[in-house]
Amino acid sequence: MSRVRIRPRGFLADVRGVAAAEMALVLPIAALITLNVVDLATYMYSRMQVDLAAQQAVGVVRQLCTANPVSVCNTTYSTQMTAAAQTTGLGNAVTLAGAQTSEGLYCASATGALTSVAAGTANCASVVSGSTAAPGTYLKVQSQYTFAPIFPQVSLASILGSPVVSTAWIRLK
């Protein structure tokens, strides 16, 4: 049986196990960062898919609603709008907020902001100074998705807003 002799100078020079000790200190921090990156990337992907879902829904109305008044299209094609919104990577988890699907007459300002005008308004002069443009019929669709972080106890993504909501507008006439 051999005895290990520890000398004071040799003790500080012994580096056995240093890598394991460093790994024990660094691994929790690296794991926390990795879990946050995964959750934030998932949130960003979900946000892009919800934006796409809203655009898909208004695109279907633009494609199918050619002869009917907008109010008829909004109710007639609601099933097709929902189906189009659910073609994204989030599938059936995306819903259209029925109360947020609406149409109306709007005038666009020089910055592109839409302002609602009353039916029968001949031009946008009341909203945009000196404008002779006729108001346009716009359809607004809002899609939403309930986001749940994969790692809710350790992730910063759990403080982000849920549901994820996106609004898309399209001019019909």
Side-chain angles (χ1 to χ4, degrees):
M1 180 159 136
S2 69
R3 277 183 30 176
V4 176
R5 291 179 53 175
I6 300 175
R7 296 184 186 144
R9 279 186 240 150
F11 179 72
L12 295 175
D14 188 7
V15 292
R16 292 177 292 176
V18 172
E22 288 174 351
M23 185 60 114
L25 293 173
V26 172
L27 189 60
I29 296 168
L32 184 66
I33 291 170
T34 302
L35 295 178
N36 273 289
V37 167
V38 168
D39 266 349
L40 290 173
T42 304
Y43 180 82
M44 291 177 6
Y45 173 78
S46 300
R47 181 109 187 120
M48 289 187 302
Q49 293 298 303
V50 171
D51 289 342
L52 179 62
Q55 292 170 12
Q56 292 281 71
V58 296
V60 163
V61 174
R62 176 73 169 177
Q63 180 182 7
L64 298 176
C65 185
T66 55
N68 296 326
V70 179
S71 58
V72 172
C73 290
N74 190 17
T75 56
T76 305
Y77 298 120
S78 62
T79 304
Q80 289 90 337
M81 289 168 59
T82 302
Q86 294 176 346
T87 61
T88 65
L90 300 176
N92 294 341
V94 175
T95 58
L96 296 182
Q100 296 300 326
T101 303
S102 62
E103 70 278 336
L105 287 175
Y106 293 87
C107 290
S109 69
T111 61
L114 295 175
T115 304
S116 179
V117 294
T121 304
N123 60 39
C124 294
S126 63
V127 176
V128 180
S129 177
S131 175
T132 58
T137 302
Y138 286 81
L139 176 67
K140 175 179 91 167
V141 174
Q142 194 171 61
S143 62
Q144 63 184 17
Y145 167 73
T146 304
F147 174 75
I150 300 169
F151 309 104
Q153 286 76 24
V154 296
S155 175
L156 294 176
S158 54
I159 64 171
L160 298 173
S162 185
V164 179
V165 179
S166 180
T167 303
W169 291 82
I170 194 164
R171 183 175 177 156
L172 295 173
K173 294 180 183 182

